[in-house]
Amino acid sequence: MKNKDYILVLQKILQLIEEGVHVVDAEGKTVIYNDAMSALESMESQDVMSRPLFEVFKHLDKEDSSLFRALKEQKSTPWQEQHYLNKDGKPITAVNRALPVVRDGEVIAAIEIARNVTQIQQMSDTILSLQNQQKASGEPQPKKVSRYSFSDLWGHNQRFVEVLNQAKSAAGNDASVFIYGETGTGKELLAQSIHYDSRRKTKPFLAQNCAALPAGLLEGLLFGTARGGFTGATDREGIFEQANGGTLLLDEINSMPYELQGKLLRVLQENYIRRVGGTRDIPVDVRIIATINEPVEDLLRDGRLRRDLYYRLNVISLRLPPLRDRKDDILLLAKQFIERYNYRLEKEIWSLSEDAEQKLLEYNYPGNVRELENIIMAAVSFAKEGHVLTAKHLNIGPRHEKSHKDYDFKEDGLELFLAKVEREIIEEALAVNGRNISRTAAYLKIKRQTLQHKMKKYEIQA
């Protein structure tokens, strides 16, 4: 292709991506401004192109402009939260970063990448505001949807019992706990059990999934914000303050941005937090339980988990075994789930047939205990008559019926072969995660919209 062809392809790509892209030349004039950025800032491209940055965005302070800093300071800016008003006066919250383009030692341009997180910020603000209002009014806090103790953790498998005994010992002190387990093994249940068997049981237990929010929002959610710290900021408690005296579960802590992991380490070492934009140190007394669902060796090697933070948290280490290594617990768990869903669904299932037991024991459960529970819930729900669950009631994942190894790419062709495999993986992931779209997308490490598009493409029902 010729240079102009490459430019045309690049322009098409820039208009398709969801992130906003804004590029200025060495003089600060806009040379690229894609549709996503136009929508984010409510600016027409023709009103921005070829014009100086601060002539167009008159309200923008140079110190607050990541583009300007990248251009003049000649260094990249980290991902950060930015608050400003667009042309229509609407407040916008974006997570962005900028980096200079250098040729022969000279900056020839600066690129800004931005993602609109206004709705997420508003949702976070609303939730925390309601919590604060409720505290201020003296109204009783709502009961937690789930509150687990060690009696809710079933199993007599030797490895599992050893982990439970270690966890019960951990409940007797305040040391940090680090839990490793695959998705669906019950890490949060174990964390709650430790909390509610400890001296902190009358204090809050709060959980935060570190993969659920961008870095800027996660920092504000953890540590709170101070009035005047940035445009529109209000005094707001973070979950560290809300969990004071209790326990904070940081789920998938390896998904926390590396820079924020360093700030968390400082909090754990010094036992105080400072709200985003604030200057006052606030003492906190919070026990941390952290979880990961990937081998820690991989996370440390790949730089996704700080070694110093890991060593600080890994005072008590618990490794939950996957269900495939607890075959002797499968029927016990299945019968407990039958009892649970008999009550919830007003059914009268008394037992499992021999062929049902055999089918349950043969399956490998990539989604672990959570997947087994979903299988039993569906079976009890759809059982129309009789008091016994048989093999035909058990809708066990696609691999039980047909593996991609059974497909013939020579017969189907590579494109159809890959489509069949992709459809199978999505079906299995949905089964593992109770057909929850958001959870399945996170499990597959793809965007929710991407998953929905693929489900529509393959005619997969949610």
Side-chain angles (χ1 to χ4, degrees), residues 80-125:
Q80 60 186 359
E81 188 175 343
Q82 193 169 34
H83 303 260
Y84 56 93
L85 302 178
N86 65 15
K87 184 185 70 172
D88 301 325
K90 179 182 177 181
I92 297 294
T93 300
V95 176
N96 65 1
R97 72 169 303 188
L99 62 155
V101 180
V102 181
R103 184 178 64 193
D104 298 329
E106 291 187 10
V107 177
I108 61 170
I111 303 172
E112 178 185 29
I113 309 294
R115 182 178 301 146
N116 189 351
V117 293
T118 305
Q119 290 182 333
I120 299 176
Q121 176 73 70
Q122 290 172 343
M123 179 177 66
S124 172
D125 288 346

Side-chain angles (χ1 to χ4, degrees), residues 24 27-30 47-57:
V24 296
E27 297 177 354
K29 293 181 180 179
T30 298
D47 295 332
V48 180
M49 292 294 293
S50 303
R51 295 179 60 191
L53 182 65
F54 294 104
E55 180 182 304
V56 177
F57 300 96

Side-chain angles (χ1 to χ4, degrees), residues 17-19 115 441-442 445-452:
I17 63 176
E18 296 179 359
E19 285 74 18
R115 182 178 301 146
K445 294 181 172 60
I446 60 177
K447 293 180 179 178
R448 178 186 170 92
Q449 297 92 324
T450 302
L451 175 60
Q452 290 173 320

Side-chain angles (χ1 to χ4, degrees), residues 172-238:
N173 61 63
D174 278 346
S176 299
V177 180
F178 202 83
I179 304 175
Y180 165 73
E182 296 177 8
T183 299
T185 49
K187 297 185 291 295
E188 181 167 350
L189 274 67
L190 188 64
Q192 286 200 32
S193 299
I194 292 171
H195 171 77
Y196 289 113
D197 199 46
S198 74
R199 68 174 182 83
R200 296 174 179 263
K201 61 186 176 183
T202 59
K203 299 296 183 179
F205 174 90
L206 297 179
Q208 175 60 45
N209 187 315
C210 298
L213 293 171
L217 297 186
L218 182 58
E219 183 177 359
L221 195 63
L222 288 173
F223 305 134
T225 58
R227 183 184 300 276
F230 50 83
T231 304
T234 58
D235 283 324
R236 189 185 68 195
E237 282 187 348

Side-chain angles (χ1 to χ4, degrees), residues 9 89 114 153 162 191 197 215 221 245 276 334 361 368 376:
V9 171
L153 296 170
E162 287 174 359
D197 199 46
L221 195 63
V276 177
L361 290 171
N368 293 293
I376 297 299

